[in-house]
Amino acid sequence: MDASKERPNEAEGLRLIRAFLTLPPDKRAEVIALVEELARVHGRPEEGAEASPR
C-alpha cells in the first residue's frame, strides 16, 4: 500500500467520525437509519447470513 495515499483517506475518515459525533442524538439516529437502509438496498447480507461467492 502507498502510505501517502492511505493518510488522506485516514484523515477523511477521522473527520467524518468527528462530524458524526458532534451531531445531536436524534440526527445521529437518522444517519444510522440512512446507512442501514443503503446497506440493505445494496444487497448487504443480513447479520449472521453468509455472503454468496461472486
Side-chain angles (χ1 to χ4, degrees):
M1 266 192 243
D2 185 358
S4 64
K5 290 181 182 177
E6 188 174 318
R7 290 291 179 202
N9 289 337
E10 183 177 309
E12 182 65 21
L14 291 173
R15 281 192 289 272
L16 289 170
I17 291 168
R18 187 176 295 125
F20 174 77
L21 292 174
T22 61
L23 291 172
D26 59 322
K27 294 296 182 184
R28 283 190 212 172
E30 286 181 36
V31 170
I32 291 169
L34 174 67
V35 170
E36 288 174 343
E37 178 65 17
L38 287 172
R40 186 188 65 75
V41 167
H42 288 284
R44 180 174 163 233
E46 292 297 318
E47 188 174 323
E50 288 191 35
S52 61
R54 291 182 184 214

